[in-house]
Amino acid sequence: MRTIGLLGGMSWESTAIYYRRLNELVRDRLGGLHSADLLLRSFDFQPIADAQGADDWAGLTAMMIAAAQKLEAGGAEAVLIGSNTMHRMADEVAAAISVPLLHIGDATAAAIKAAGSRKPLLLGTRFTMEGDFYRGRLRDKHGLDMLLPDAGQRVEVNRVIYDELCRGVIDAGSRTVYLDIVEAAKAAGADGVIFGCTEVGLLIGGIDLGVPSFDTAELHCAAAVDFMLG
């Protein structure tokens, strides 16, 4: 089994999902008492969120590179970034280490293509929805297009992530807001929903949305276990 290095704590609510699912998937594949061979670097998320809000992406990139290099030095044979937003510096991190960085967008794109979705809705932080680092990768590398919520909806999607989901708050009213956004997108032609923040599945995971849903945390974990056991 190969060792995976996980950069997490962004937020720890979804990192807990990563830890559980990586171990469950290895157990399911190998049986017995098997579990995942992992190294975890979990950050204090408040300074990261503050730096995101201040657009200090250079400082965050340096932090992520240093952490990934430490994971590699500790024996990691591949690195995961357990956050869609923090894939903004994925290319720089990948260039600074000699082991693979398993990109969350690639795992998600494979599932979208397998489901035959042509124009899924993207739900995530404002950085993921409005920046090009994520949508651009799926477009340029995988030939995928996607729909976004409108400007007001994006504000609300982002607020729920930072003010609620990253704090462990699951609110029924916010679930209704998200589901209404999904319905509006379906009416505009969306044929799938990308949970483009690793916490979104905490709110609307397991709900029949009437179109395929793509839980990026789950898909990322599955790709990691394929690498671990491949």
Side-chain angles (χ1 to χ4, degrees), residues 97-125:
I97 56 178
S98 61
V99 297
L101 185 144
L102 306 181
H103 199 290
I104 197 168
D106 297 340
T108 302
I112 293 170
K113 289 182 175 181
S117 178
R118 305 290 295 179
K119 188 169 284 190
L121 170 70
L122 175 62
L123 298 175
T125 68

Side-chain angles (χ1 to χ4, degrees), residues 155-166 174 178 203:
V155 170
E156 186 64 7
V157 169
N158 185 79
R159 184 198 66 77
V160 169
I161 291 168
Y162 280 96
D163 292 353
E164 297 177 10
L165 301 180
C166 289
S174 295
Y178 269 51
L203 187 64

Side-chain angles (χ1 to χ4, degrees), residues 2 5 7 13-14 24 46 50 52 68 88-89 98 128 130-131 140 144 147 150 169 174 178 209 226-228:
R2 293 167 171 163
L7 295 170
E13 296 287 343
S14 64
E24 287 174 345
Q46 184 66 63
D50 291 343
Q52 291 173 344
R88 178 164 175 155
M89 63 282 297
S98 61
T128 301
E130 297 175 359
D140 298 339
L144 295 173
L147 293 177
D150 66 32
V169 176
S174 295
Y178 269 51
L209 302 177
D226 285 345
F227 177 86
M228 293 170 78

Side-chain angles (χ1 to χ4, degrees), residues 118-124 129 135 144-150 154 181-182 184-194:
R118 305 290 295 179
K119 188 169 284 190
L121 170 70
L122 175 62
L123 298 175
M129 291 187 289
R135 292 185 293 121
L144 295 173
D145 193 12
M146 61 195 68
L147 293 177
L148 297 179
D150 66 32
R154 293 198 298 272
I181 291 171
V182 169
K186 286 165 57 180
D191 60 0
V193 182
I194 302 171

Side-chain angles (χ1 to χ4, degrees), residues 2 22 25-26 29 102 219-230:
R2 293 167 171 163
L22 288 166
L25 290 168
V26 169
R29 292 270 290 271
L102 306 181
L219 295 168
H220 207 194
C221 288
V225 170
D226 285 345
F227 177 86
M228 293 170 78
L229 303 181

